Structures are given as C-alpha cells and as structure tokens.
Amino acid sequence: MPGNMTFDALKEAVESGGIDTVLVACVDMQGRLMGKRFHAQHFIDSAHHETHCCDYLLAIDMEMNTVPGYKSSGWDKGYGDYVMKPDMATLRVLPWLPGTALVLCDLLDHHHNEVPQSPRAILKRQIARAEAMGFRAMMATELEFFLFETSFDAVRNSMQASGQIRDLKPISAYNEDYHIFQTSKEEEVMRALRNGLFGAGVPVECSKGEAEAGQEEINVKYSDGLDTADNHAITKMAVKDIAHAAGKSVTFMAKYDHRRAGSSSHVHQSLWTLDGKPAFYDESDPHGMSATMKQFLAGQLAHAEEITAFLAPYVNSYKRFCIGMFAPTKAVWSRDNRTAGFRVCGEGTRAIRVECRIGGADLNPYLACAGLLAAGLDGIEKKMDLEAEMRGDMYSTAGIREIPKTLRAAAELLRDSSMLRAAMGDEVVEHYHHAAEWEISEQDRVVTDFELARLFERA
C-alpha cells in the first residue's frame, strides 16, 4: 500500500504538535532519497504544491560529483532547477524519526512534464505500458545487507585517518541463515526496523538472517510496481537511519568482501488483469504457467543481458556473480532452482511468479523493475516462445546464456539495445549508459589497496 497519512491527517498532526517536519524527497540515479526537510506548517501552507531542486541530482555519481557529458544537465546549461512535485499518495509518518513525515516526489521540468531520465518516471512509463496491454504489474523485492558493530562514524574516521576502512566487525561471528538464536542478538536494530517500516505504512513481512556472518534480509509484501519501488527506497533509508541511531553501520554493496557471500535484491514479478485476476496461472500446464507468463519470461530471457546494467549498476556488482555463493552466473530459467538467474516459484493461482535473482542490493529499484517489465512486455507483444527449462547445477552447465561478467560488457549491451531504446527512449538509454561509463572510468583511474599490496614490492 502507498502512504498511510492523508493531507487532512497531516494538518491535524501538525496542529496537535505530533508532526513538525516533513521530509520531501525525490529519487536519484543511485536510488537514494534526496530532498529537503520542511517545517511542517510551511509544507501545509505552500510546499505541498511543489518545491525545487538542482537538476544536477540526475547527473552526479555516488560521491555527488558533477559528472561531465550528460545531455540533460551540466555546466553548459547552468545546472538549473527541476520541479519536485509531491505525490501526496505517498505521504506517511516515519516512526523512527521523531515528529517527521515523508512524501515522495516526481521530478518535472519547467513545463511541468516528467523528466524522462527520472527513475520514478522510467518505471511509471513501463507500468502505463502494461496497463495499456490490460495488465497490472505486481512485484516484490527481497533486500539483503550486512550489519556491523562498527558505527558509521568509526568507519568514516578510519577512512579519514588511513584512506582505508579497517576493523569492520560483522554483528554476527558466523553464518546466520535462518538462525533464530543469532538473530535474537540483533533485535535492537531489526525489531526497530520491522516496527518502524510497519508504522510508516510499508507492509513488512519478516526479517531473517542470511547466508553469511552479519548478513540480514528484510522482506516487504508484494504490491504494484511503483509502490514496490517506493517501499524499497524507503526501506533502505530506514535501515541506515535505524542502524546509525543504534551505533551500527550497514552496507548494501553487492560484494563488500571477496571472501564472503554477496548481497542480492531478488525481484519477484507477476501480472494481473485490470479487474484483479492473476494472469500467470494455468492449472492445465505442468508448471502452472499461462501462455502470458511464458511469453513474459521468454522476453526477460531474450533481453537478460541488455537489462543487466540496471540490475548490476557498478563495477563491484559483478564481483557478486561467483560459483557456489547463491548468486547466479547463468541467465536461464528453472523451476525452484536457486542456481538459475530466473526461478519460477510459488504454487497455485495467486502465488506463481518469476523471481529474477540477478540483481544485487546496490540496484536502483525503479530502474531494475522498469528494465524487467520492459523485457517481459516485449515478450508478450512478440508472443515469444519460452525456451526449455534448465535443470540441475547451472554453475557447472556449459554452453548456456551467461550473465555479463563486467559492467563494461553490460554497458555496451545496454547502449545497443533496440528493445530498451524503443521502450524507454534514446535519451534514457544514453543517460544511463553514460552513468555506467563514468563508473568504469573512475574504477580504471583509481589505484586500489589490492594493487598496492600486490605490486608495491613484487612488480
């Protein structure tokens, strides 16, 4: 469900003193919430109509550097403003931030048209495309992260002192996958997270230990595609806020240590008819898969390599794809098989779905969901035939479709995708291809600790 507070309820909460701050946020290219904190009364009086932000928010990297070469904004255009238009359906209280409400915004240009490169606009375009075909896109994202005893402040101080992050201490000493006793020790953060999200109108289902020391997973109930992406972005903010308040730190890096498992964000997907009937189920099929579901999955497989840059957006993302650590290496499908990039799972009318296991925890949920939808809808439009199911250990199976091994390869496939250009527009593809190229160039430029340790004496 979207937000849990009406505008009238906000007015009442402000008048009673329960709410004094409204956090007004848009989503940037990295999937982060960016915006302003308004005095609640000013938001009620004026800012609920709109506010403004610098258009560089869709042309920066993770370090907030102004990246040259974007067509949408830059020094040559003077870095003007975007309109931040609050989507009042997303208004909600944030229980973990005292006296604070949140509303998410769409980004508009000076003519009040949605900015095409905006992640929220990109996803909304694919949702509208699905609706025009008679479908409602339903999705859910699983989100994994590592939780550390080391505080964010200690991590930052370590970086400033030595240029390195030292002494990261995972909150658990051993693999805690499904482990009740170990996760009981982590309830200071995880209980606050579950209850905080629930109080914010995010329908959290559960948390659990994941398959590594200090690794957590939080699951939110499936919803329509836009609501799912909104909930994902809010959840990431909540995890960081609550961990910081407890003196802990977290990371959503896809791979923070090559010796440990990576963190994923699996995306579950199904289509429903506009009158509320599941479109993926056929009881006469051996797998329970309707023709629509088979075509949708066929499209995702056909375009899996092209959309990988939206599922794995950083150089680090590709270090997660390794054998034997539950991250896939092959973009094929199988029934309830965790070695495949696409897993068909769920039983019965309402539960059957496609789980894409390629995405890491570092993905932007709007771009990931949009890319998957674009590929699946293309399969339906073209009535693609679904290839044969793969069985057994995909890691050891040769001669089948592989996930791109580097961001450089994935970026080229993104750039050359006629499907994505038709679905999203040339300006969107070129914008995010440029973002990938910048990430690659920065990684190529910087000398790493690994290089220094390996080559300093021996080279």
Side-chain angles (χ1 to χ4, degrees), residues 374-438:
L377 295 177
D378 189 63
I380 294 174
E381 288 177 336
K382 295 178 179 174
K383 294 182 168 52
M384 292 184 183
D385 292 326
L386 181 61
E387 63 195 48
E389 176 193 8
M390 299 297 300
R391 298 180 180 178
D393 181 1
M394 301 305 126
Y395 291 131
S396 61
T397 303
I400 57 177
R401 185 188 304 105
E402 296 191 352
I403 296 167
K405 291 181 169 58
T406 65
L407 180 58
R408 183 172 276 108
E412 292 174 357
L413 290 160
L414 169 67
R415 179 197 62 203
D416 296 338
S417 174
S418 58
M419 182 278 292
L420 286 175
R421 287 181 179 273
M424 297 181 176
D426 290 337
E427 69 271 41
V428 170
V429 171
E430 290 165 9
H431 190 88
Y432 285 94
H433 173 256
H434 186 70
E437 288 289 300
W438 177 260

Side-chain angles (χ1 to χ4, degrees), residues 149-171:
E149 295 281 9
T150 320
S151 70
F152 277 124
D153 293 336
V155 171
R156 183 180 62 253
N157 291 339
S158 173
M159 281 289 293
Q160 291 174 342
S162 65
Q164 299 175 331
I165 296 179
R166 301 182 184 276
D167 303 321
L168 274 178
K169 184 180 178 183
I171 199 165

